[in-house]
């Protein structure tokens, strides 16, 4: 079905931070499959884990114990401080699980029509519930009636969340991205997550973080909330968790950890041995190669070089980000930059119409980072010079 506006290129193999198309042309990937391939392509540890597991056992039902799932769950809980995990196949499924947890939490308290506070310009997925939670009218258009039970507030505005609390609208949770990805790499003020944590504690709400794009080392820590003193009750992961193998996870602690009981939720393929083995290899590689720290270092380097290269250009409104989650905001729509960069052998993305989004793999070398900056700033200057 015609659900994607595909670019005129097809890739046949990848290695490290590079992809090669069917004609033999190589491209430096500054998008990483939209924050998925954090370890780059054909990483030997992940490839070996997948090949070994494929020769042992691909799938058994969740009616039985799965050792690889148990090991991965223990690893993620140790890294995050959470207590329990539900495994699905995608970020949208992880967020669906979080939404169901919030509703179950509400009904345990006798709240029949609960609400979850979500943010403007957010993105949580494309299932009916997650697109209803998403703060983007373009994603929702044509799929009404939307799922009820969401109250919207501006991102990075604690007073707005407090106002919702004061209105007494049967809110039971807050669902928020630590940094808005699809919304344009929007980073909140210091203390924002701590402020949400305090409000949730006061109101006895669940604090739920969508770390699907920010998690697994992307921002310089294993999880973006670890830059703060706020620990969520529920956290969702996907994207980089499997480095390309589909897997999503909904983690919980405290009261939220014990809400689901047999029959409340499930997944045929979620947490199968292959996906969990790949994700375990990702976790081990992040630790052994100190890749979250590398993401922090590379991110600072890229921000510095981009700001130096683009200084004095009025059309460049802002250059921001954390770790290897970087946005360059222009004063105009700039979607055509994607095709221009493609011609120059660089893969990028434009989101929120005028924000260039960079999500490169953590294994990017210093030289490759320099090439990224040189190629990208060149096409930005070319686009601006046309006016």
């Amino acid at each position: 079905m015609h659900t994607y506006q595909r670019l005129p290129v097809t890739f046949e193999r990848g290695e490290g931070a590079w992809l090669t198309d069917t004609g033999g042309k190589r491209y430096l990937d500054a998008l990483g499959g939209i924050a998925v391939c954090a370890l780059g392509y054909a990483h030997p540890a992940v490839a070996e884990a997948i090949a070994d597991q494929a020769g042992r056992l691909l799938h058994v039902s969740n009616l039985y114990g799965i050792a690889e799932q148990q090991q991965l769950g223990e690893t993620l809980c140790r890294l995050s401080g959470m207590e329990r995990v539900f495994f699905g196949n995608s970020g949208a499924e992880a967020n669906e699980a979080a939404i169901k947890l919030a509703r179950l939490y509400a009904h345990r308290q006798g709240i029949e029509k609960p609400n979850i506070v979500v943010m403007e310009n957010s993105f949580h997925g494309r299932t009916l519930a997650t697109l209803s939670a998403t703060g983007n009218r373009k994603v929702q258009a044509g799929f009404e009636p939307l799922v009820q039970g969401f109250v919207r507030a501006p991102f990075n505005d604690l007073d707005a969340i407090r106002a919702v609390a004061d209105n007494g609208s049967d809110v039971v949770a807050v669902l928020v991205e630590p940094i808005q990805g699809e919304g344009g790499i929007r980073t909140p003020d210091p203390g924002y997550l701590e402020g949400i944590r305090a409000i949730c504690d006061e109101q006895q709400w669940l604090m739920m973080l969508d770390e699907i794009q920010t998690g697994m080392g992307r921002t310089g820590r294993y999880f973006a909330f670890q830059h703060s003193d706020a620990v969520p009750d529920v956290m969702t992961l996907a994207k980089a968790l499997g480095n390309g193998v589909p897997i999503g996870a909904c983690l919980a602690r405290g009261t939220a950890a014990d809400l689901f009981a047999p029959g409340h939720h499930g997944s045929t393929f979620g947490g199968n041995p292959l996906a969990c083995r790949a994700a375990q290899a990702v976790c081990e590689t992040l630790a052994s190669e100190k890749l979250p720290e590398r993401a922090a270092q590379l991110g600072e380097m890229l921000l510095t070089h981009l700001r130096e290269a683009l200084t004095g250009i009025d059309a460049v409104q802002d250059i921001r980000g954390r770790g290897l989650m970087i946005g360059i905001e222009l004063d105009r729509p700039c979607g055509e930059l994607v095709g221009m960069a493609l011609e120059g052998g660089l893969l990028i993305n434009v989101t929120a119409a005028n924000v260039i989004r960079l999500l490169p793999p953590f294994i990017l070398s210093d030289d490759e980072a320099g090439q990224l900056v040189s190629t990208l700033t060149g096409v930005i200057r070319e686009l601006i010079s046309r006016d």
Side-chain angles (χ1 to χ4, degrees), residues 38 76 214-218 221-223 237-238 240-241 282-283 286 362:
L76 291 175
T214 58
M216 302 308 298
R218 173 63 54 185
R221 301 283 177 90
Y222 279 98
F223 310 105
L237 300 172
L241 179 56
V282 169
C283 293
L286 289 176
F362 307 166

Side-chain angles (χ1 to χ4, degrees), residues 112-246:
E112 294 185 3
K113 295 183 178 180
N115 287 306
I116 299 171
V117 178
V118 292
M119 307 305 152
E120 296 174 0
N121 299 313
S122 62
F123 184 84
H124 298 295
R126 293 182 182 274
T127 64
L128 274 176
T130 57
L131 72 82
S132 297
T134 290
N136 182 337
R137 182 60 193 148
K138 184 178 179 181
V139 172
Q140 299 168 342
F143 299 106
E144 298 85 356
L146 301 179
V147 175
Q148 300 301 302
F150 298 102
V151 177
R152 218 160 296 284
F155 182 67
N156 196 29
D157 188 340
L158 291 173
D159 288 338
I161 299 176
R162 291 191 186 98
V164 171
D166 292 341
N167 288 336
S169 52
D170 282 341
V171 168
V172 295
V174 176
L175 174 62
V176 61
E177 300 158 278
I179 298 172
Q180 288 192 333
E182 296 288 334
I185 314 296
R186 303 288 176 184
T187 56
D189 295 333
Y192 180 61
L193 293 185
E194 289 92 339
I196 293 176
R197 178 72 273 174
I199 294 170
C200 288
D201 288 342
E202 292 165 6
Q203 301 295 325
Q204 295 186 311
W205 298 347
L206 297 179
M207 179 182 180
M208 309 198 302
L209 293 186
D210 179 338
E211 291 241 22
I212 288 161
Q213 193 164 144
T214 58
M216 302 308 298
R218 173 63 54 185
T219 68
R221 301 283 177 90
Y222 279 98
F223 310 105
F225 80 80
Q226 292 172 334
H227 291 283
S228 73
D229 293 325
V231 180
D233 301 297
V234 179
M235 176 178 70
T236 55
L237 300 172
K239 289 194 178 289
L241 179 56
N243 205 59
V245 176

Side-chain angles (χ1 to χ4, degrees), residues 35-382:
V36 169
C37 299
L39 305 187
Y41 298 96
H43 192 284
V46 179
E48 181 181 346
I50 292 171
D52 180 71
Q53 190 62 43
R56 294 169 180 262
L57 185 66
L58 289 177
H59 175 82
V60 291
S61 169
N62 277 300
L63 294 174
Y64 311 105
I66 301 175
E68 295 80 9
Q69 184 183 120
Q70 181 67 32
Q71 181 184 19
L72 178 61
E74 290 172 355
T75 298
L76 291 175
C77 286
R78 173 175 52 80
L79 292 172
S80 66
M82 308 301 272
E83 297 170 5
R84 294 182 185 271
V85 190
F86 173 84
F87 288 109
N89 309 287
S90 66
E93 289 180 52
N95 281 334
E96 284 275 350
I99 291 166
K100 287 181 70 173
L101 279 175
R103 289 197 169 187
L104 196 56
Y105 176 71
H107 286 287
R108 294 278 174 87
Q109 300 175 64
I111 300 173
E112 294 185 3
K113 295 183 178 180
N115 287 306
I116 299 171
V117 178
V118 292
M119 307 305 152
E120 296 174 0
N121 299 313
S122 62
F123 184 84
H124 298 295
R126 293 182 182 274
T127 64
L128 274 176
T130 57
L131 72 82
S132 297
T134 290
N136 182 337
R137 182 60 193 148
K138 184 178 179 181
V139 172
Q140 299 168 342
F143 299 106
E144 298 85 356
L146 301 179
V147 175
Q148 300 301 302
F150 298 102
V151 177
R152 218 160 296 284
F155 182 67
N156 196 29
D157 188 340
L158 291 173
D159 288 338
I161 299 176
R162 291 191 186 98
V164 171
D166 292 341
N167 288 336
S169 52
D170 282 341
V171 168
V172 295
V174 176
L175 174 62
V176 61
E177 300 158 278
I179 298 172
Q180 288 192 333
E182 296 288 334
I185 314 296
R186 303 288 176 184
T187 56
D189 295 333
Y192 180 61
L193 293 185
E194 289 92 339
I196 293 176
R197 178 72 273 174
I199 294 170
C200 288
D201 288 342
E202 292 165 6
Q203 301 295 325
Q204 295 186 311
W205 298 347
L206 297 179
M207 179 182 180
M208 309 198 302
L209 293 186
D210 179 338
E211 291 241 22
I212 288 161
Q213 193 164 144
T214 58
M216 302 308 298
R218 173 63 54 185
T219 68
R221 301 283 177 90
Y222 279 98
F223 310 105
F225 80 80
Q226 292 172 334
H227 291 283
S228 73
D229 293 325
V231 180
D233 301 297
V234 179
M235 176 178 70
T236 55
L237 300 172
K239 289 194 178 289
L241 179 56
N243 205 59
V245 176
I247 184 170
C250 177
L251 294 85
R253 69 181 182 99
T255 301
D258 297 319
L259 288 168
F260 278 159
H264 279 143
H265 202 43
S267 170
T268 296
F269 298 107
N272 70 56
L274 181 70
C276 288
R277 183 77 184 278
Q280 181 66 30
V282 169
C283 293
E284 292 173 359
T285 302
L286 289 176
S288 65
E289 299 185 11
K290 298 183 178 180
L291 290 177
E293 295 89 337
R294 176 61 175 163
Q297 175 195 23
L298 271 171
E300 286 299 316
M301 178 192 305
L302 284 170
L303 283 172
T304 297
H305 291 171
L306 286 166
R307 286 165 179 161
E308 289 174 352
L310 296 171
T311 188
I313 301 178
D314 293 340
V316 178
Q317 300 289 288
D318 193 20
I319 302 173
R320 57 180 176 262
R322 173 166 271 174
L324 289 177
M325 191 173 182
I326 295 172
I328 304 169
E329 183 176 352
L330 303 188
D331 65 354
R332 65 200 70 184
C334 57
E336 61 189 296
L337 277 173
V338 174
M340 294 168 65
L342 185 71
E343 290 181 11
L346 178 67
L347 305 182
I348 63 169
N349 174 244
V350 169
T351 191
N354 65 328
V355 179
I356 302 157
R357 178 169 53 165
L358 304 178
L359 301 163
F362 307 166
I363 48 84
L364 200 70
S365 70
D366 289 358
D367 287 344
E368 289 165 341
Q371 184 174 341
L372 189 167
V373 171
S374 176
T375 304
L376 180 59
T377 55
V379 295
I380 290 172
R381 289 179 178 276
E382 180 183 347

